Amino acid sequence: MPRKKNIEVFDNVMVQRDGVWVNGKEGDYKVCNFGLKILFRIQSAYGDISWLIAIMQPDGTDLTISLSNKEFATPAAFHEALLRYGFVFKGEKAALNMIKEDLIPKAEQAEAITSLGYHPGSGLFFYVNGAQTKTGAFIAPDEFGMIRHEKQAYFLPFAQDADNKNFKTFARFDYQKGEQNLDSWLKLIADAHGKKSLIPACFRIAAYFRDLAFQHVHFFPLLYLRGVPGAGKSTCARSMTATDGRPQEDLNLKSPNTTKSIPRRLEQISNSIVWFDEYANELNEGVLGTLQAAYDGGGYQRAVNGFSNMTNSIEIHSALILTSNYTPDTEFMRQRCIFITFSDSKKSEQQRDAFNKLTGCELGNLSSVGADILAFRRLIEIEWKKTHKELYQTFIKALPGVESRICNNIAVILTPARILERKKIVDFQEIFGLKESLIETGKACCLAQQEILTGKSDLAQFFEVLAYCAERRIIREGEDYRYSNDGKTLSIRMPRIYPIYLREFRALYNKVGANREDLTGEIRRHPSFMKEAPERFDVPRTGRPNEHDTAKKQAAYPALKFNAEKFAESFPLTLAKNADE
């Protein structure tokens, strides 16, 4: 093989900018009109292989392309892949094998990053445009989309290809320097969402270190925000997802497209949050199984295409936030969730201003907040086990009537926050205007969770059925229940509503509803109950009103009266005004 300038000569191959020559039986022959260099052999965590190849053109310009292992396997596949870029490969199988034999040993090895967030092998937290180290330093990708850290190379496909479908899905994981830090963000959250946002904020912090929870206690609870529409649960959930860059839009669990993509969504994000809206008790077993796997870290089993008797396991590395108007009716869900109730849809002018300010920051970029939290990684690693043990033992000792799982759930969520508080990095008590310490708040939260766990009583089911009926206009505000003009009192027309409850309860649960006397007695014992007294309700002129008959008159009927605020705290349901307006 002749020696020329500006060429690379190997045992069987000669490469220069105007072509590649290989050894043949009758001498060297040219197989393409461009130079070729294999830059990287890239392997994913799933064992998939791809190749980063430099096409060196005669005019001195280079083009870097990524090929799958299949595209680099045969001359026909290689030719087809290169043709997309306007290049032709004319070699046969022997020629391609010689190119591989000589050039592959010169390629660097790299790992493909297939999920964003924390990468345990490197200790890096990956965004679409770079990665952050445990010490808070940000590493931008090089010209090949490689993150180089401690003599290892990590390939970020998102950095090279903005048309990549995963880039479009996870573009919110975008690191940008910003003015907001953890302290300023917590103040925005407290001002906008109030004291009830403390536990969600601690959950957001804890999610960045989810792997430590699995390392030490082998589970991570779900956060469940429940309450009436307009009370702020969805906006709070969205705020918790914003610190990776920009907020995630809700994924509706009632959508068939969402339920099919749940496992993949949870696999592609690590040590961060995925938010699912519209949790409902009628979700299929596959979805419920996936949610359970998110708690205990078990893999989700999925069938392998073309093999009816084979499955593979999708690992779940995401923390979950669920939002709903209802409380789960399965015990295994109630044991695995931390419930926060949103009952007040009224916002002060100060809260509205704070919310608008927070929203403005979220529409920009809040990755600087996440970066600030991640910078404490080494501290959290050192202190996590000891701090969790202290919290858990404190809760168990102080709350003998609370299940140990609940105490453990709250301890896990509060552990990173408690470390930051103890090291005087964050003063949660001052920021959220608490009268008690973070530990005392944790105790109160444990008690609230215990009440929810054991509180799926006949009364709770009664009001959930009423909420179901109200949403479907089976019962109507004004005729069947009524709020006072100041919104402080809720009156329910029990003699009229009870038969509807029995009918709909049987349809929903295929069993008989609660006895009226028992139910009424439970109502009278509830803290929100005020008295039984006549109330004026609307009466349609002829049966139920419709678009042709809306005239009504009023008459007084016996009613059960409730303190509306206390009622909403115990039963975060939708008994909205739905009369014709």
Side-chain angles (χ1 to χ4, degrees):
M1 186 172 291
R3 299 273 178 173
K4 298 182 180 181
K5 293 182 179 180
N6 301 319
I7 64 172
E8 287 188 275
V9 179
F10 302 91
D11 291 341
N12 303 297
V13 176
M14 180 179 72
V15 178
Q16 61 182 30
R17 283 196 170 273
D18 62 353
V20 176
W21 284 261
V22 299
N23 288 334
K25 292 181 180 179
E26 299 179 1
D28 304 336
Y29 65 99
K30 191 175 184 179
V31 294
C32 57
N33 58 356
F34 53 86
L36 188 67
K37 183 177 183 180
I38 303 176
L39 300 171
F40 291 93
R41 177 186 180 273
I42 304 168
Q43 183 168 347
S44 76
Y46 310 109
D48 300 322
I49 304 295
S50 62
W51 305 87
L52 206 61
I53 296 175
I55 304 295
M56 301 179 291
Q57 302 178 78
D59 63 2
T61 60
D62 292 347
L63 175 66
T64 303
I65 63 173
S66 178
L67 300 181
S68 68
N69 210 33
K70 185 176 181 179
E71 291 171 323
F72 199 31
T74 66
F78 190 45
H79 169 77
E80 189 70 24
L82 291 175
L83 202 58
R84 295 199 306 264
Y85 302 95
F87 300 102
V88 176
F89 180 76
K90 298 181 290 186
E92 299 299 330
K93 184 176 181 179
L96 183 58
N97 285 341
M98 283 189 280
I99 290 173
K100 291 179 180 180
E101 183 180 339
D102 282 358
L103 300 189
I104 285 178
K106 303 293 183 182
E108 288 189 63
Q109 303 296 309
E111 179 181 341
I113 297 303
T114 55
S115 63
L116 295 178
Y118 185 68
H119 182 264
S122 65
L124 297 172
F125 191 94
F126 284 95
Y127 299 87
V128 293
N129 62 335
Q132 182 173 329
T133 69
K134 290 183 180 181
T135 59
F138 184 77
I139 306 173
D142 64 15
E143 59 184 311
F144 304 119
M146 295 291 169
I147 300 293
R148 297 184 181 275
H149 178 64
E150 295 181 348
K151 298 182 180 181
Q152 298 292 325
Y154 303 92
F155 180 55
L156 266 182
F158 322 106
Q160 287 288 91
D161 184 7
D163 293 325
N164 182 294
K165 63 180 180 180
N166 287 328
F167 180 88
K168 292 178 179 179
T169 302
F170 301 114
R172 70 181 187 88
F173 278 79
D174 176 32
Y175 175 80
Q176 302 291 336
K177 287 185 178 180
E179 297 179 357
Q180 299 294 336
N181 58 22
L182 173 58
D183 204 61
S184 64
W185 177 74
L186 287 172
K187 290 175 182 176
L188 285 172
I189 291 294
D191 290 344
H193 296 294
K195 294 179 182 179
K196 62 181 173 291
S197 63
L198 170 63
I199 296 299
C202 292
F203 182 90
R204 166 68 276 189
I205 296 169
Y208 279 115
F209 312 103
R210 180 181 181 272
D211 64 299
L212 298 179
F214 276 93
Q215 178 182 329
H216 295 295
V217 296
H218 315 297
F219 74 91
F220 193 87
L222 286 62
L223 181 65
Y224 195 110
L225 308 183
R226 63 177 192 155
V228 299
K233 59 184 184 296
S234 294
T235 54
C236 183
R238 189 175 291 110
S239 293
M240 295 306 118
T241 69
T243 58
D244 296 315
R246 290 180 292 275
Q248 173 212 310
E249 290 306 311
D250 63 296
L251 295 167
N252 193 316
L253 280 173
K254 292 183 179 179
S255 166
N257 292 333
T258 297
T259 56
K260 292 177 182 178
S261 67
I262 287 174
R264 187 64 176 157
R265 285 272 188 176
L266 299 182
E267 182 188 35
Q268 290 177 318
I269 296 176
S270 178
N271 278 21
S272 192
I273 287 174
V274 177
W275 164 37
F276 292 116
D277 193 19
E278 297 291 348
Y279 175 89
N281 290 318
E282 61 267 22
L283 291 174
N284 65 58
E285 291 184 3
V287 174
L288 294 176
T290 304
L291 298 180
Q292 182 174 355
Y295 176 90
D296 59 28
Y300 173 84
Q301 299 300 317
R302 181 177 63 180
V304 177
N305 290 338
F307 298 91
S308 59
N309 63 339
M310 294 180 64
T311 62
N312 58 21
S313 180
I314 293 179
E315 297 297 326
I316 295 173
H317 304 290
S318 309
L320 264 65
I321 293 180
L322 304 173
T323 50
S324 178
N325 298 340
Y326 307 103
T327 302
D329 60 7
T330 58
E331 184 173 342
F332 90 85
M333 278 296 294
R334 297 203 302 276
Q335 287 179 332
R336 288 162 173 79
C337 293
I338 294 175
F339 294 91
I340 304 297
T341 300
F342 288 72
S343 57
D344 187 6
S345 59
K346 296 179 180 180
K347 302 290 187 295
S348 66
E349 185 174 348
Q350 183 180 1
Q351 278 183 300
R352 286 193 293 269
D353 289 343
F355 178 75
N356 290 336
K357 184 178 179 181
L358 176 61
T359 302
C361 293
E362 291 171 352
L363 292 175
N365 191 294
L366 282 176
S367 59
S368 58
V369 176
D372 196 27
I373 298 170
L374 289 166
F376 298 113
R377 172 83 195 190
R378 291 195 184 280
L379 170 64
I380 303 298
E381 285 179 339
I382 294 168
E383 299 285 335
W384 201 100
K385 183 177 181 179
K386 177 181 69 175
T387 304
H388 168 266
K389 183 178 180 180
E390 290 173 354
L391 285 172
Y392 177 62
Q393 291 181 343
T394 298
F395 296 155
I396 286 291
K397 184 177 180 179
L399 307 168
V402 176
E403 287 196 14
S404 61
R405 185 193 290 265
I406 289 176
C407 293
N408 216 354
N409 286 343
I410 302 302
V412 166
I413 294 309
L414 292 185
T415 291
R418 174 58 179 156
I419 294 169
L420 298 178
E421 179 186 60
R422 189 166 55 195
K423 297 294 183 179
K424 301 188 183 304
I425 296 169
V426 179
D427 189 340
F428 291 94
Q429 193 168 348
E430 179 181 349
I431 290 173
F432 286 88
L434 304 176
K435 295 180 180 179
E436 63 282 326
S437 67
L438 193 61
I439 292 177
E440 293 303 313
T441 301
K443 292 178 184 177
C445 191
C446 288
L447 290 170
Q449 306 310 303
Q450 181 67 28
E451 182 179 341
I452 292 168
L453 178 62
T454 58
K456 195 67 174 180
S457 61
D458 289 339
L459 185 60
Q461 288 190 320
F462 172 73
F463 284 119
E464 285 197 2
V465 170
L466 294 196
Y468 170 87
C469 293
E471 286 185 351
R472 289 156 180 77
R473 300 175 71 84
I474 297 169
I475 63 174
R476 302 169 65 84
E477 198 278 334
E479 297 172 27
D480 304 301
Y481 63 93
R482 176 186 292 282
Y483 284 93
S484 60
N485 291 334
D486 60 9
K488 294 182 178 180
T489 304
L490 169 65
S491 300
I492 292 179
R493 191 178 168 188
M494 191 66 169
R496 180 180 173 91
I497 276 182
Y498 181 73
I500 298 173
Y501 151 75
L502 284 179
R503 183 188 71 216
E504 298 301 325
F505 185 88
R506 177 177 285 277
L508 288 169
Y509 300 107
N510 195 30
K511 60 182 180 180
V512 178
N515 175 276
R516 179 172 172 177
E517 286 72 24
D518 293 342
L519 197 58
T520 303
E522 194 172 346
I523 287 173
R524 289 196 174 102
R525 291 189 296 272
H526 195 269
S528 66
F529 178 72
M530 296 168 59
K531 60 182 178 179
E532 185 171 358
E535 177 64 38
R536 298 191 68 80
F537 290 94
D538 297 333
V539 181
R541 186 178 59 187
T542 54
R544 289 227 174 257
N546 55 51
E547 59 182 346
H548 304 295
D549 178 16
T550 58
K552 303 183 187 74
K553 62 180 180 179
Q554 288 193 332
Y557 295 98
L560 302 176
K561 294 182 178 290
F562 299 84
N563 178 297
E565 183 177 356
K566 291 182 179 179
F567 178 88
E569 289 175 357
S570 298
F571 310 108
L573 307 170
T574 309
L575 288 180
K577 292 187 177 182
N578 59 10
D580 295 331
E581 296 181 358

